[in-house]
Amino acid sequence: MLLYMRGVNRELPLFLVGLSFAAAEGGARLHLSPLLVSLAAGALIANLDEREGRRIHQAINQAGLPVFALFFAAAGAGLKLDALVTVGPAALLLVALRGLAIWGACRKFAPADDPRLKRFLWMGLISQAGVTFGLAALVSRTFPSFGPQVEVLIVAMITAHELVGPVLTRRALLGSGEIRAEEAGGGA
């Protein structure tokens, strides 16, 4: 990737999409997870050359929408939503426990010199998604006997986090004084 970026340096978003397909096909033949291969490649690039890592990030943002749309459509088509009735209460319990654990850890381990961190940091850590969706799909494929139920559980948890997380992040930014209500697009 670095050789391409330094030598050819054209159409990086298209190159990354092609490379992703190659990683998926090659990974399957070598019994490697394309998701983990891509994560490792991204981490390696970001640590070898920070400037090129930023360029990759920008290129992914440019090419990401159609790729993400296809991924989420495919992932959603395979979900067994009837399992939500069974795992829904467990998902809500796990969401609450995760939120409580994040809150407790931030209260205990945030630096004492800034009380805003102890009070508001946990709110910014609730949202999650991204790679977790891919890992949920991987669990479903790897463990066909119980994986689909676990995938629905994880997706239900992510959905709850994504509904509550941005609201809490905005509240934390306002409460800590990092932004004003006008900057956040409305009143407190």
Side-chain angles (χ1 to χ4, degrees):
M1 284 178 66
L2 282 175
L3 291 174
Y4 178 86
M5 293 172 71
R6 291 176 181 161
V8 178
N9 198 22
R10 292 185 7 216
E11 302 298 332
L12 185 57
L14 184 60
F15 173 74
L16 290 175
V17 170
L19 195 59
S20 296
F21 283 113
E25 185 61 31
R29 292 178 191 263
L30 297 172
H31 304 288
L32 299 172
S33 166
L35 178 64
L36 296 179
V37 167
S38 298
L39 279 172
L44 184 64
I45 297 285
N47 284 294
L48 287 177
D49 191 331
E50 189 175 325
R51 185 179 64 85
E52 297 298 350
R54 282 192 300 272
R55 284 190 53 227
I56 289 174
H57 184 75
Q58 291 169 345
I60 289 171
N61 284 337
Q62 288 176 346
L65 183 59
V67 173
F68 294 144
L70 287 172
F71 170 76
F72 289 119
L79 282 179
K80 310 284 188 255
L81 291 181
D82 55 330
L84 188 58
V85 173
T86 307
V87 301
L92 290 176
L93 176 64
L94 290 172
V95 165
L97 289 173
R98 179 180 178 267
L100 187 62
I102 291 171
W103 176 81
C106 289
R107 298 287 292 181
K108 179 157 180 69
F109 298 112
D113 61 341
D114 190 349
R116 296 178 309 165
L117 286 176
K118 284 194 180 292
R119 186 167 175 205
F120 296 111
L121 178 62
W122 71 275
M123 292 180 186
L125 300 176
I126 294 297
S127 286
Q128 69 165 31
V131 173
T132 312
F133 277 118
L135 293 175
L138 186 62
V139 167
S140 181
R141 285 192 309 272
T142 305
F143 304 103
S145 61
F146 63 88
Q149 289 83 8
V150 173
E151 180 182 24
V152 171
L153 174 69
I154 292 170
V155 170
M157 290 174 62
I158 292 169
T159 302
H161 290 130
E162 288 306 304
L163 290 172
V164 174
V167 174
L168 289 175
T169 299
R170 180 181 181 275
R171 188 169 171 206
L173 291 170
L174 286 168
S176 66
E178 292 293 321
I179 61 170
R180 294 186 311 270
E182 304 83 44
E183 295 172 355

